[in-house]
Amino acid sequence: MEIDPVTNGNADAIMTESAPTITPPTTTPVPSSRLSQLTESLKLEHQLLRVPFEHYKKTIRTNHRFFEKEVSSVVSGVGDLADSDWSRDDTVARLSSLVSRLQGLKRKLEEGSNVENLQAQRCRARIDHLESADVENLTEWNNTKLKRILDLVDIDIFREAKKVIDALKNREVASALTWCADNKTRLKKSKSKFEFQLRLQEFIELVRAESYNQAILYGRKHVAPWGATHMKELQHVVATLAFKSTTECTKYKGLFELRQWDVLVHQFKQEFCKLYGMTMEPLLNIYLQAGLSALKTPYGFEEGCTKEDPLSQESFRKLALPLPYSKQHHSKLVCYISKELMDTENPPQVLPNGYVYSTKALKEMAEKNEGKVTCPRTGLVCNYTDLVKAYIS
Amino acid sequence: MELKSIKDAFDRVANKQKLSYSKTNEIVQMLSQEIEKALSIIQNSPSSPDTLLDHRSVLADVKKMFVEVAPVNQLEVAEKELNAALTKYPKVLEKQLNPDISKAYRHNVDFDTHIVNQIIANFFYRQGMFDIGDCFIAETGESECSTKRSFMEMYRILEAMKNRDLKPALKWAVSNSDKLKQARSDLELRLHSLHFLEIAQGQNSQEAINYARKNIAIFADSSLPEIQKLVCSLLWNNNLQKSPYSEFLSPALWNNAVKELTRQYCNLLGESSESPLSITVTAGTQTLPVLLKYMNVMANKKLDWQNIEQLPVAVELSEEFQFHSVFVCPVSKEQSSDDNPPMMMSCGHVLCKQTINKMSKNGSKSSFKCPYCPTDVDISRCRQLHF
Ligand SMILES: [Zn+2]
């Protein structure tokens, strides 16, 4: 990759030495081949593969836990039966119920495996989709990608999140707590304190309602266990018992603010995205930001900017306004007439008035006009033979 | 990036999942078989006073067997292997792909959702996805897009062209004839030519000639060679395939006309020929890898990413995203500007004005040596260029 060299030896030398030695012309960069560009762009697709996988993994884990528990309880059921003095009829009845329980288990196993297989297929389809991208169909692939970004392919997962978010907005923690319980091991592994924060909020709500006894009971049961790791925060919040919800004490006023619920929503979003390997920001915004910066030039904001530039549109200009401009290391000249790139194949030619156009466009014009060319921007007419080539390194 | 290693890692997961499933299945089968067997022995043994002992011994056998087989342990072993694969796969993904593309995101920039929604709705309309666009507008509560009607008209024209009906396209092109000429587009002639060829294909030479006289001859000034070819093809119109003019049968002729019509139609609307949203997102796809690499390299250095005015790294977008001429002085590496315009020296090499000033010691020297060739450059002969 190219990183802007902070100092450029050659250039510095030329700028300071009075008689510069001839420096070799800087080689124009080989435009990163389309193939490596494609490979690089595929690397952006982590989320596309990760999200359905996390879904799949969750299903596998849940199923497995369930079957392990069931098998274990059937085995110990037989053991208990063998160690007890039940009559023959009772034994028969109990064994029969175990048999039908196993029957149900077989059915559930079948169902569970079907779900797992479907999710595995989805993961695999995504990998195949990445594999299907090649240089030939890149335009088409990019179009699909855009639709994918707009469509939110993993919408079912977002539904799960929305339920919790809506509940939190209604100041209910129950569904968020259920979500925490469902993902207990993983949250623990990432040292998440989201559940602790939910508990604290519930505690604060009890204090707000002036149910102090209840608050203390609740605190003992749900808040105290976090003391080992989060003592300082715990003390801070539990001390609310000494304050009224209308307190003016700045340290405690904040805790009673309803805005705290929005903080919880934000935290949930963060935890949720982390769990599924998703970015917090909408993918579209991430791509738009990067693209707008790379396209942002001072020319885009000028009047008469070509309509082909997205920055010629008011809406795109507004979005791009706070973003950095693009940076170019090498000259890239576009012919004003033909909009084609001017390079060694189609070199730039200079009119006597200093205006530059591509050889191809000027030649075409001269052929139609008995060797004369007209400058489209100034109206100057001159002979094709009056043109001189410019060398851009 | 190795898609293969991703695939392999996933295959391992899927494989272990299948194994774990068959293990569980096997164990459930075994449990139910053994219990059913014990049940039938107990049920079929004659009922007598010592059956209490009898059925207990049967149960003891089953219990003993379960202890020996240890089904729960077996499940745990299978799970352990599956778990290893499940943990490995995300690691492979993280290694092969970019796990967090938001690292190159400026969090202090909030996009106006209203503008983004307008852009999205506009995208749906210009792709001809009118139902989705309407749906989107209804859901987000945005106001109707002003461009919708125009795009509907464009898709009506394109749809007709797909069915080889050129009338709506021609009608539009003729009524915008002057504007098309101004935009240097030969769309009108192209459409007339296609129509001419359609008539000729129908073996109706006379009608084709009439059509050419009426509609095509007027383009003789600008496109005589094309017109000559077109008319000559009449001589072979019973077997164009084997003629020097077989190109006139190519479907590319139609595809290109469709493309040109889309481009011109959009341009007259004041829109780009490609959707600006897809241009920007594709440019973003090319830019993000470069930015992310840069962020990784610079991870330990302090970089005020949130407040920079210019990207810290150059991004080479593909040619189609090059909308403006950019001149970078090969010596100072600075982009030219109104204050620092590009200047051509007598040898034809181009530098920017500030560099030339420095090399001539602000004009105190009347000549200097070109850094790229042996020419002695006369300062008075340097002239400003306009790209
Ligand atoms: Zn030179």
Side-chain angles (χ1 to χ4, degrees):
Chain A
M1 74 167 293
E2 284 185 308
I3 287 178
D4 183 26
V6 180
T7 55
N8 183 310
N10 274 349
D12 281 351
I14 291 166
M15 300 303 279
T16 48
E17 276 171 31
S18 51
T21 44
I22 298 171
T23 43
T26 37
T27 45
T28 40
V30 188
S32 51
S33 78
R34 295 191 80 108
L35 191 66
S36 76
Q37 203 175 53
L38 173 65
T39 313
E40 287 304 317
S41 70
L42 290 185
K43 281 194 197 167
L44 302 172
E45 302 291 353
H46 178 261
Q47 182 168 328
L48 182 74
L49 300 190
R50 183 68 180 264
V51 173
F53 173 74
E54 290 300 335
H55 217 186
Y56 176 48
K57 183 159 127 185
K58 203 172 153 190
T59 313
I60 291 181
R61 289 250 161 93
T62 317
N63 284 346
H64 205 99
R65 258 203 306 274
F66 172 76
F67 291 115
E68 213 175 274
K69 222 173 91 195
E70 285 291 300
V71 165
S72 152
S73 105
V74 168
V75 169
S76 59
V78 170
D80 290 348
L81 213 51
D83 296 339
S84 57
D85 292 329
W86 296 106
S87 71
R88 186 185 119 139
D89 286 348
D90 281 341
T91 307
V92 166
R94 269 154 214 272
L95 281 180
S96 306
S97 98
L98 282 180
V99 167
S100 58
R101 184 169 177 182
L102 283 166
Q103 229 52 303
L105 212 52
K106 272 188 219 165
R107 215 176 35 243
K108 282 210 178 107
L109 187 60
E110 220 44 59
E111 284 163 12
S113 145
N114 283 342
V115 175
E116 284 174 16
N117 288 339
L118 273 178
Q119 292 186 340
Q121 262 172 35
R122 193 152 89 129
C123 293
R124 212 185 287 278
R126 301 263 174 109
I127 301 175
D128 292 344
H129 175 63
L130 286 196
E131 204 174 27
S132 75
D134 68 48
V135 180
E136 300 304 314
N137 65 9
L138 205 53
T139 322
E140 208 181 306
W141 202 85
N142 277 329
N143 270 335
T144 323
K145 171 173 177 156
L146 176 55
K147 282 179 199 145
R148 209 168 65 202
I149 293 175
L150 293 176
D151 263 349
L152 298 171
V153 275
D154 294 306
I155 194 107
D156 41 345
I157 291 170
F158 285 104
R159 254 183 226 129
E160 181 192 332
K162 198 168 177 304
K163 226 174 77 190
V164 177
I165 292 172
D166 287 347
L168 284 176
K169 281 186 180 157
N170 285 328
R171 289 186 235 153
E172 288 157 18
V173 288
S175 55
L177 283 172
T178 316
W179 184 82
C180 285
D182 286 348
N183 298 287
K184 199 170 181 151
T185 21
R186 304 190 51 198
L187 290 173
K188 212 169 174 181
K189 220 186 234 165
S190 66
K191 298 204 171 63
S192 157
K193 54 176 189 176
F194 180 55
E195 190 190 335
F196 176 52
Q197 274 154 331
L198 290 171
R199 297 293 184 193
L200 289 181
Q201 191 62 40
E202 275 207 303
F203 180 84
I204 288 172
E205 291 306 319
L206 288 171
V207 175
R208 194 200 304 279
E210 301 186 356
S211 319
Y212 300 117
N213 280 332
Q214 247 181 299
I216 289 171
L217 286 177
Y218 184 88
R220 263 187 213 143
K221 192 166 169 210
H222 295 298
V223 180
W226 294 83
T229 43
H230 300 87
M231 200 55 198
K232 217 176 150 189
E233 263 177 288
L234 190 151
Q235 278 176 355
H236 182 63
V237 173
V238 174
T240 49
L241 281 171
F243 297 91
K244 276 198 151 61
S245 59
T246 50
T247 179
E248 283 305 314
C249 171
T250 43
K251 266 194 166 170
Y252 284 93
K253 203 175 157 193
L255 284 177
F256 284 110
E257 269 173 25
L258 291 175
R259 203 173 43 83
Q260 287 297 329
W261 285 97
D262 298 336
V263 176
L264 284 177
V265 168
H266 183 79
Q267 255 152 2
F268 170 72
K269 282 186 192 164
Q270 247 171 355
E271 297 287 351
F272 185 83
C273 291
K274 209 156 92 191
L275 213 66
Y276 278 108
M278 288 190 289
T279 53
M280 261 284 265
E281 296 74 21
L283 278 182
L284 180 68
N285 288 5
I286 296 177
Y287 280 98
L288 272 180
Q289 227 192 47
L292 285 170
S293 269
L295 292 170
K296 186 175 171 185
T297 60
Y299 317 104
F301 291 84
E302 279 171 10
E303 198 129 333
C305 161
T306 163
K307 293 284 172 243
E308 297 301 315
D309 185 344
L311 269 300
S312 67
Q313 311 252 336
E314 207 40 50
S315 49
F316 285 80
R317 279 183 188 172
K318 273 192 195 141
L319 294 186
L321 209 60
L323 297 175
Y325 282 100
S326 71
K327 174 171 189 144
Q328 309 269 348
H329 266 320
H330 305 279
S331 298
K332 280 255 172 82
L333 302 180
V334 182
C335 175
Y336 180 90
I337 302 174
S338 66
K339 309 294 175 208
E340 285 178 325
L341 215 56
M342 297 191 273
D343 49 18
T344 41
E345 311 257 295
N346 187 20
Q349 303 260 16
V350 185
L351 269 58
N353 60 2
Y355 282 75
V356 183
Y357 304 100
S358 73
T359 307
K360 259 198 223 164
L362 290 168
K363 210 176 211 165
E364 203 187 300
M365 205 193 288
E367 273 165 10
K368 282 185 183 163
N369 297 295
E370 289 134 18
K372 293 223 181 297
V373 294
T374 311
C375 175
R377 284 177 283 183
T378 63
L380 176 94
V381 181
C382 68
N383 288 320
Y384 185 75
T385 46
D386 295 337
L387 308 178
V388 286
K389 218 193 230 178
Y391 296 91
I392 312 289
S393 14
Chain B
M1 182 195 56
E2 291 275 337
L3 256 179
K4 193 176 175 305
S5 61
I6 293 178
K7 270 182 131 175
D8 289 349
F10 187 75
D11 283 343
R12 219 160 20 239
V13 172
N15 208 1
K16 296 289 178 201
Q17 176 233 328
K18 288 219 171 72
L19 281 179
S20 158
Y21 160 76
S22 29
K23 188 79 219 162
T24 317
N25 197 28
E26 185 189 296
I27 283 170
V28 173
Q29 289 288 356
M30 186 274 286
L31 291 179
S32 80
Q33 247 172 36
E34 292 303 320
I35 295 176
E36 274 172 48
K37 207 167 79 192
L39 189 61
S40 86
I41 293 175
I42 295 172
Q43 277 175 327
N44 291 331
S45 64
S47 153
S48 68
D50 23 286
T51 46
L52 182 63
L53 204 69
D54 226 350
H55 76 251
R56 282 189 65 176
S57 76
V58 173
L59 282 176
D61 284 348
V62 180
K63 182 187 170 185
K64 193 170 157 235
M65 193 228 170
F66 284 177
V67 170
E68 275 164 17
V69 176
V72 176
N73 283 1
Q74 286 199 33
L75 283 184
E76 274 167 4
V77 170
E79 197 200 3
K80 222 172 166 186
E81 282 182 32
L82 175 57
N83 255 339
L86 283 176
T87 323
K88 176 96 189 287
Y89 183 66
K91 283 187 185 146
V92 172
L93 287 186
E94 275 171 25
K95 192 175 159 226
Q96 298 292 338
L97 307 172
N98 255 316
D100 183 10
I101 62 168
S102 67
K103 268 190 197 153
Y105 187 77
R106 282 171 81 146
H107 294 275
N108 60 345
V109 173
D110 261 337
F111 276 165
D112 183 337
T113 4
H114 167 69
I115 296 181
V116 175
N117 285 344
Q118 283 286 336
I119 287 175
I120 295 174
N122 206 34
F123 167 80
F124 286 134
Y125 288 136
R126 69 160 300 147
Q127 301 302 109
M129 299 146 91
F130 295 103
D131 294 346
I132 300 180
D134 286 344
C135 228
F136 181 82
I137 282 208
E139 245 175 66
T140 51
E142 292 292 331
S143 53
E144 183 92 2
C145 265
S146 53
T147 43
K148 180 183 164 188
R149 275 174 167 278
S150 313
F151 284 126
M152 280 179 97
E153 172 67 12
M154 180 177 92
Y155 275 94
R156 201 176 59 79
I157 297 174
L158 293 179
E159 200 53 40
M161 277 178 88
K162 248 188 224 156
N163 301 322
R164 301 249 154 167
D165 173 10
L166 284 163
K167 272 186 217 103
L170 273 168
K171 193 174 159 217
W172 179 83
V174 170
S175 64
N176 289 287
S177 183
D178 289 343
K179 286 180 191 155
L180 288 172
K181 260 183 215 125
Q182 227 170 31
R184 302 164 44 81
S185 167
D186 59 353
L187 178 67
E188 203 184 340
L189 172 63
R190 281 203 218 183
L191 293 172
H192 280 307
S193 306
L194 283 174
H195 200 206
F196 170 86
L197 289 166
E198 287 286 291
I199 301 172
Q201 289 278 310
Q203 310 290 317
N204 199 336
S205 300
Q206 185 57 49
E207 201 187 315
I209 290 168
N210 288 341
Y211 187 83
R213 278 194 191 146
K214 190 172 164 215
N215 299 297
I216 295 179
I218 45 172
F219 295 96
D221 280 354
S222 55
S223 313
L224 196 55
E226 284 89 344
I227 296 176
Q228 286 168 345
K229 273 177 44 200
L230 214 54
V231 177
C232 278
S233 75
L234 274 181
L235 300 181
W236 281 272
N237 75 347
N238 50 355
N239 196 358
L240 211 52
Q241 191 69 54
K242 290 198 177 121
S243 77
Y245 301 111
S246 56
E247 59 181 290
F248 285 146
L249 289 170
S250 160
L253 237 50
W254 283 84
N255 292 341
N256 290 338
V258 164
K259 261 190 214 157
E260 180 65 11
L261 188 127
T262 313
R263 170 199 287 280
Q264 294 306 333
Y265 194 102
C266 291
N267 276 349
L268 289 192
L269 273 184
E271 301 257 339
S272 49
S273 41
E274 290 285 333
S275 141
L277 180 63
S278 65
I279 292 176
T280 312
V281 169
T282 308
T285 309
Q286 293 180 8
T287 308
L288 273 174
V290 183
L291 294 184
L292 288 168
K293 265 189 194 168
Y294 181 81
M295 296 307 277
N296 277 342
V297 173
M298 299 301 280
N300 301 319
K301 311 222 169 115
K302 275 198 181 146
L303 169 77
D304 192 3
W305 179 248
Q306 310 297 335
N307 293 307
I308 44 168
E309 300 224 328
Q310 190 182 33
L311 288 179
V313 54
V315 179
E316 294 271 341
L317 295 179
S318 355
E319 225 174 84
E320 66 262 35
F321 301 121
Q322 202 68 47
F323 302 111
H324 310 280
S325 285
V326 174
F327 177 76
V328 178
C329 175
V331 173
S332 70
K333 300 285 176 201
E334 270 176 45
Q335 266 169 245
S336 66
S337 62
D338 286 347
D339 299 332
N340 188 20
M343 307 281 285
M344 185 170 73
M345 301 177 283
S346 44
C347 54
H349 284 117
V350 185
L351 303 175
C352 68
K353 192 173 183 177
Q354 277 171 10
T355 304
I356 287 182
N357 281 345
K358 276 197 184 160
M359 298 185 88
S360 67
K361 305 261 171 202
N362 281 326
S364 62
K365 294 166 69 186
S366 60
S367 74
F368 61 90
K369 213 162 175 193
C370 168
Y372 296 104
C373 71
T375 309
D376 262 321
V377 177
D378 179 352
I379 295 185
S380 59
R381 289 183 58 213
C382 291
R383 55 190 172 123
Q384 190 177 335
L385 296 186
H386 304 270
F387 291 114

